[in-house]
Amino acid sequence: NEWDEMVDAVKRQVDGMVQYRAEKNGIIQVGIGKGSFGAEHLLDNLKTFLSEIQNVKPESFGKGKTKAGGSNKGAKYFLKAHLTAAQGKSVNLDIKTVDPTSNFYMDTVPI
């Protein structure tokens, strides 16, 4: 029936979703997978997540006034990126390789 089809469609949609929210100072912490996923799958998850964050960026971002009275035309949305295992140390990532607007996006990521 139609109800079952709708429930199945919602389950398929929600199946790949990850809940996240930005902290007050803009930090986002999210799991992108498990070690058992393999490098390719983790990289795909990371690319999808970063692209989604870029897509939900507020339209007004970077259009405010600066202290000098100019505009923030070159304002960066991604400032820092770190990757860590649940119980490990974090690794700083080169921001050029994780910013979807960069020419170097995912260019030098080792697999």
Side-chain angles (χ1 to χ4, degrees), residues 62-73:
K63 296 182 181 175
K65 294 181 181 178
T66 63
K67 291 181 182 179
S71 69
N72 290 333
K73 187 177 182 181

Side-chain angles (χ1 to χ4, degrees), residues 23-51:
E23 294 177 8
K24 185 177 178 182
N25 53 359
I27 295 172
I28 299 172
Q29 297 181 17
V30 65
I32 59 165
K34 299 178 181 181
S36 62
F37 282 9
E40 294 275 339
H41 192 184
L42 290 171
L43 188 58
D44 279 346
N45 286 353
L46 180 61
K47 285 180 183 179
T48 301
F49 176 71
L50 293 171
S51 295

Side-chain angles (χ1 to χ4, degrees), residues 4 24 36 39 45 49-50 56-57 83 97 99 106-107 109:
D4 291 335
K24 185 177 178 182
S36 62
N45 286 353
F49 176 71
L50 293 171
V56 298
K57 176 179 76 170
L83 193 60
T97 62
D99 183 351
M106 295 292 165
D107 188 35
V109 178

Side-chain angles (χ1 to χ4, degrees), residues 1-10:
N1 75 37
E2 286 183 33
W3 179 255
D4 291 335
E5 289 176 21
M6 188 168 68
V7 168
D8 287 341
V10 169

